[in-house]
Amino acid sequence: MRFRLSDRQVGILFMLPFLITAATFIVWPVAEAIRLAFYQYNPLRPHDQFWVGLDNFERILDDPLFWESFHQALVWTGWSILFQTVLGVGMAMLLHTALPGIAVFRGLLLFPYIVPTVVIALNWRWIFNSEIGIVNHALLRLGVISENIAWLATPDMAMASAIVLNVWKYTPFVIICVLARLQTIPTELYDAAKVDGAGAMRRFLDITLPMLKEVLVVVIVFRTIWTFNKFEEIYLLTRGGPGTSTFNLAVYAFEEGMANLRLGVAAATGVIMIVLLLVGTIVYVRVSGFGREEKPA
Amino acid sequence: MATTTRLSATRRRLLQGAGGAALAAGLAAPAIAQGGPRVARVWGEPGPYGGVFVQGMNEWAQRNNANIRFEVEQIPWDGVTVKLTTDLAARRPPALISVESPIAYQLAAEGLLEPVDDVNTAIRAKERLVDGFTLEQFGGWKGTNYAVPVHHQPCLLIVQQDIINELGLGNPAEWNWDRFADAAKAISEKKPGMAGYTMALGRNLCADYHITQLIWQAGGMTWDPAAGFRTVFDSPATVEAFEFIRRINAYMPRAAVEFSFLQVVDQHVTGRTGMSAYWGRTMGRAAEEAPAIFQHMEYYLNPAHPRTGGRWSWTDINGWIIPARDNPFIREVKEAVAYVSNSVEWMVRYSQSLMPNVGPVFKDVASAPAMRAHPFYQSKKRTLDVIFEQSVPHACNTGLELKKGVNPLAGFAHGRSVWAQAVQRMILNNESPKAAVEWGHRQFEAIRRDNQRLLAG
């Protein structure tokens, strides 16, 4: 007797790799993190785990460093998203012009997004190095500054440097998304607006921006989630310093887990981050009206 | 319709073929794995010396047909805890580790290490140790030794002697804190573009080390093992050390508040500082990259505190430790470590692999003709004597403060760089030294409270 699979079974078999991967690398870690948030777990003693109820959450909410990190996470995320969106839309519009060789520029734009974060962060550490960095060298040679700026050594400058790195790396993502949408806007709309006497700004506000609304909502939501959770850029660039001035919640969770050996507290921080992002996303999507059908006039 | 059927058939064959291949590979894997030698991972600090020791261990493996191969993995100083926690959690620790001693003390107190008194007896460690060291200092806890001595590294004052002489700043060997600060001031004022002194003040391990040795020199401590590990950080001596750091910070590079190990060495070997605090590596780097700097470089004991006379140095009193759990190589590792440690020839090669960073801890190694044949003994004998011998009476570290007993709490505090953070609060946030010290005291007290179980044993 020959073994034969039905079409339905074949379909399930083809889905299995995805389902197994998603369950292993997404569902199980999240479920495990939520479970750990209620346990005391020292990674040096993986065999010993104790149920502590809500103690980990109490500890976090009583910790001034958590609130400091939360505030800094808002600053880091807010400025990063603002600059990425404004620059992303602006540059996408510049690139949405029919010029010879524009395709090469569009390709080059992806460069920062492609290069691994660790390479970029370490390079930027050298670029921002106050003693031998090229930024200070250039500014000194141009006469813009008279003495070296300690880019990563003062709290405000370190945060600004981290934001600049984030904006440089991820603005191309915004540009590509916006550019793709710009190319689908019917040119007749602009022609009609011109006939009606609309200037460039009016055309941007009344045609381009509404047309970009949906894609911008998606881009902003995703970029906000990714930036709020970002760990490696800040850690590699400043390690959360100077002091704790560039801690965000991801760095805080890492410090709790690895430096203080309190994986339960780190997991609880992760759970709080999930809740914050979930609430923030729902509110934002509701307020922006994403996915709502236009009512006929 | 016919096309769809053909496509389905192809998919089925693909699935059946892939399934068969996976099954065959799974069945064959154990047989393939059994063929080669077992691999035992050894963690060493960055630098070639761990690799040299492992070569010696592999020589033992070959001579004894142990069917084992030791492989070295270099782990950065400040990355050991993170890597170790993840590897222990995965129940796959390395077979052998060379780490900064405070981490060894912490792991010993956690009960995670294999006792090595048998190895220390086999290598006659007690009799061979350089005068001034004891076995307990390498990794002892409650009467049991968990570390096999391997090297020591003191953090000292490094000066460019030509600059000191040119400016008439006297003999650094006779300096106290005030004369040292005056020298740093004179260099920064009279040598444009050059810092008077460089130490790490970033939020990192290196800064912790540099800061704590000043605290000890003033007579302060973080925890007192003799008084039940009471937190004693908020003493006038600590405040005095913080005030001194604030004073000399004026003669340091502005970016010192982000400096760690590498930046301090860079600063010195590129001629951007007249003096710095560091271990032997600065001289090694200068010899390789900057002969002019090397030529005038000298090491001195740290300047004495005017009142206490203390010249304490944060010294890595480094030993090999063996994780006890989930480690299938304990017997082989012990035999191989004993084999290499008993070989003066291997231990000389170990020390000479990164001169003068890896100080010999055995008398027969320190005095071996092969050791003394190194070219640095001709060009820098005075400095080598300071690093290898004269520093020993002043050697302690954050897990062995003022040599008053081992404490296992320092590893936790280093994980968070509490000492560095406290100083940064003073420098960056303009907190008073007293307020910054009090903040640090609260952090250390919390660490002690959280880890009472370690102290209780």
Side-chain angles (χ1 to χ4, degrees):
Chain A
M1 190 179 134
R2 193 174 162 79
F3 175 66
R4 189 170 175 80
L5 296 171
S6 69
D7 284 353
R8 183 184 170 79
Q9 287 167 327
V10 169
I12 291 171
L13 270 178
F14 271 103
M15 283 171 63
L16 261 184
F18 166 74
L19 292 175
I20 292 170
T21 308
T24 308
F25 295 106
I26 300 173
V27 179
W28 182 70
V30 171
E32 181 66 3
I34 293 171
R35 186 189 70 80
L36 265 185
F38 299 95
Y39 280 83
Q40 185 193 78
Y41 177 27
N42 176 346
L44 290 178
R45 295 171 169 274
H47 303 276
D48 307 337
Q49 294 185 26
F50 308 102
W51 168 263
V52 292
L54 292 172
D55 283 6
N56 290 333
F57 292 94
E58 272 179 38
R59 178 173 203 130
I60 291 168
L61 298 177
D62 282 344
D63 185 355
L65 183 56
F66 169 80
W67 293 108
E68 187 188 327
S69 305
F70 178 57
H71 174 252
Q72 283 155 194
L74 294 179
V75 171
W76 148 259
T77 307
W79 285 110
S80 294
I81 300 305
L82 178 68
F83 281 119
Q84 283 170 24
T85 308
V86 172
L87 288 173
V89 170
M91 291 179 75
M93 292 187 66
L94 285 176
L95 288 167
H96 184 49
T97 46
L99 290 173
I102 197 78
V104 177
F105 276 103
R106 288 174 188 163
L108 281 175
L109 255 179
L110 278 174
F111 179 75
Y113 194 60
I114 293 168
V115 180
T117 305
V118 66
V119 175
I120 291 176
L122 293 178
N123 272 310
W124 278 59
R125 275 194 73 88
W126 285 109
I127 291 170
F128 283 128
N129 186 301
S130 59
E131 299 295 313
I132 54 171
I134 195 165
V135 173
N136 273 346
H137 179 74
L139 293 175
L140 278 170
R141 290 293 292 266
L142 290 170
V144 178
I145 57 175
S146 56
E147 62 173 7
N148 286 337
I149 296 174
W151 294 102
L152 301 174
T154 57
D156 290 343
M157 293 304 288
M159 178 59 89
S161 302
I163 290 170
V164 169
L165 168 63
N166 189 266
V167 170
W168 179 78
K169 183 165 168 58
Y170 292 104
T171 298
F173 174 80
V174 181
I175 295 172
I176 296 298
C177 294
V178 172
L179 191 56
R181 180 69 182 103
L182 281 176
Q183 288 171 346
T184 65
I185 300 176
T187 51
E188 292 83 356
L189 291 175
Y190 292 102
D191 294 339
K194 274 184 194 167
V195 169
D196 289 346
M201 182 55 77
R202 180 53 58 196
R203 291 200 299 274
F204 173 74
L205 291 174
D206 288 348
I207 301 173
T208 309
L209 218 46
M211 288 289 181
L212 289 178
K213 182 180 161 189
E214 299 248 314
V215 75
L216 281 179
V217 170
V218 174
V219 164
I220 288 171
V221 166
F222 275 99
R223 286 302 316 141
T224 302
I225 292 171
W226 294 337
T227 307
F228 192 78
N229 287 335
K230 231 15 168 173
F231 167 76
E232 70 273 24
E233 279 160 26
I234 290 182
Y235 195 74
L236 289 167
L237 193 68
T238 66
R239 292 181 74 96
T244 49
S245 60
T246 52
F247 263 52
N248 66 357
L249 291 182
V251 176
Y252 174 83
F254 176 82
E255 286 281 310
E256 282 295 325
M258 291 302 162
N260 298 336
L261 303 178
R262 294 195 285 248
L263 276 195
V265 177
T269 309
V271 170
I272 290 175
M273 289 168 74
I274 292 174
V275 172
L276 285 172
L277 285 170
L278 205 61
V279 171
T281 303
I282 291 169
V283 169
Y284 179 71
V285 168
R286 288 255 167 136
V287 169
S288 67
F290 178 74
R292 226 175 275 156
E293 290 287 326
E294 289 285 331
K295 285 185 183 163
Chain B
M1 188 67 196
T3 310
T4 311
T5 310
R6 253 200 322 272
L7 190 60
S8 299
T10 308
R11 282 176 181 165
R12 283 197 181 87
R13 276 195 216 108
L14 176 71
L15 279 172
Q16 285 161 355
L23 185 66
L27 291 171
I32 295 167
Q34 273 183 335
R38 295 180 302 151
V39 174
R41 297 181 301 140
V42 177
W43 284 0
E45 297 174 325
Y49 39 103
V52 170
F53 200 95
V54 165
Q55 283 174 27
M57 293 175 75
N58 279 324
E59 184 178 274
W60 168 86
Q62 280 180 347
R63 288 189 177 181
N64 292 279
N65 294 319
N67 193 33
I68 192 170
R69 190 176 74 245
F70 297 101
E71 280 186 1
V72 70
E73 292 177 2
Q74 289 188 11
I75 311 290
W77 296 285
D78 47 1
V80 169
T81 307
V82 173
K83 181 95 173 91
L84 188 62
T85 50
T86 50
D87 280 26
L88 282 171
R91 295 168 174 79
R92 192 176 167 268
L96 180 68
I97 311 176
S98 163
V99 290
E100 309 279 285
S101 22
I103 297 174
Y105 306 144
Q106 177 188 347
L107 297 178
E110 287 273 12
L112 295 171
L113 299 182
E114 171 74 11
V116 292
D117 286 313
D118 49 349
V119 181
N120 283 333
T121 303
I123 65 172
R124 296 183 304 108
K126 200 171 176 182
E127 297 83 54
R128 291 170 66 203
L129 270 183
V130 165
D131 292 337
F133 286 125
T134 65
L135 274 180
E136 191 206 21
Q137 292 170 354
F138 288 84
W141 182 243
K142 295 196 184 293
T144 303
N145 287 306
Y146 295 93
V148 181
V150 65
H151 71 246
H152 73 99
Q153 304 176 331
C155 180
L156 299 166
L157 172 67
I158 311 171
V159 305
Q160 286 309 111
Q161 196 67 52
D162 52 340
I163 295 171
I164 303 296
N165 295 344
E166 180 192 330
L167 300 180
L169 299 174
N171 181 4
E174 296 168 1
W175 284 351
N176 62 15
W177 275 18
D178 291 325
R179 290 188 62 192
F180 159 66
D182 290 343
K185 182 169 186 273
I187 294 169
S188 63
E189 285 175 355
K190 293 174 183 168
K191 291 282 177 186
M194 180 179 277
Y197 180 64
T198 299
M199 64 186 274
L201 291 175
R203 193 173 155 276
N204 54 58
L205 207 53
C206 187
D208 279 352
Y209 296 172
H210 284 165
I211 293 161
T212 45
Q213 60 181 15
L214 289 166
I215 295 171
W216 301 322
Q217 287 159 22
M221 292 173 81
T222 305
W223 296 282
D224 187 356
F229 296 95
R230 198 162 54 86
T231 308
V232 292
F233 189 71
D234 61 347
S235 66
T238 308
V239 175
E240 186 186 359
F242 272 47
E243 283 166 347
F244 185 67
I245 290 168
R246 189 166 62 176
R247 177 178 167 194
I248 55 175
N249 182 45
Y251 319 126
M252 289 194 224
R254 284 188 66 201
V257 286
E258 59 171 289
F259 280 3
S260 184
F261 294 102
L262 184 62
Q263 290 79 19
V264 176
V265 181
D266 282 346
Q267 191 77 7
H268 203 124
V269 297
T270 52
R272 291 196 303 273
T273 188
M275 303 188 287
S276 66
Y278 211 74
W279 295 262
R281 185 60 191 141
T282 306
M283 175 166 277
R285 274 268 310 268
E288 293 158 13
E289 299 170 18
I293 299 282
F294 172 76
Q295 192 184 347
H296 301 290
M297 181 180 284
E298 292 292 342
Y299 279 59
Y300 290 93
L301 295 180
N302 291 314
H305 183 271
R307 175 173 44 82
T308 68
R311 293 177 182 274
W312 294 100
S313 147
W314 198 103
T315 300
D316 191 12
I317 305 170
N318 201 306
W320 290 109
I321 56 173
I322 305 173
R325 283 187 194 170
D326 304 308
N327 182 355
F329 301 105
I330 290 175
R331 185 183 60 79
E332 292 93 336
V333 160
K334 283 185 169 182
E335 289 188 28
V337 167
Y339 173 83
V340 181
S341 302
N342 268 329
S343 164
V344 171
E345 187 190 340
W346 271 116
M347 293 306 288
V348 167
R349 283 165 72 177
Y350 177 82
S351 278
Q352 290 192 346
S353 66
L354 200 68
M355 283 284 276
N357 205 44
V358 194
V361 286
F362 296 132
K363 283 182 275 200
D364 49 4
V365 178
S367 60
M371 185 75 201
R372 299 276 168 166
H374 192 280
F376 281 6
Y377 270 99
Q378 271 70 56
S379 55
K380 296 288 175 188
K381 183 171 183 316
R382 193 204 63 80
T383 277
L384 287 199
D385 287 344
V386 171
I387 297 174
F388 289 163
E389 294 169 24
Q390 294 173 29
S391 70
V392 175
H394 311 281
C396 69
N397 60 48
T398 28
L400 185 71
E401 294 184 282
L402 302 176
K403 288 187 177 171
K404 286 189 175 175
V406 167
N407 90 63
L409 301 173
F412 294 99
H414 284 311
R416 295 163 54 185
S417 306
V418 178
W419 293 279
Q421 281 198 64
V423 165
Q424 288 199 329
R425 292 177 78 90
M426 175 181 73
I427 292 173
L428 294 170
N429 303 355
N430 286 323
E431 282 187 8
S432 70
K434 192 167 188 327
V437 166
E438 282 169 358
W439 177 86
H441 184 90
R442 288 194 295 274
Q443 312 305 310
F444 292 123
E445 176 58 19
I447 288 170
R448 191 187 70 85
R449 219 176 27 243
D450 283 354
N451 296 283
Q452 276 289 358
R453 64 187 168 79
L454 288 188
L455 306 175

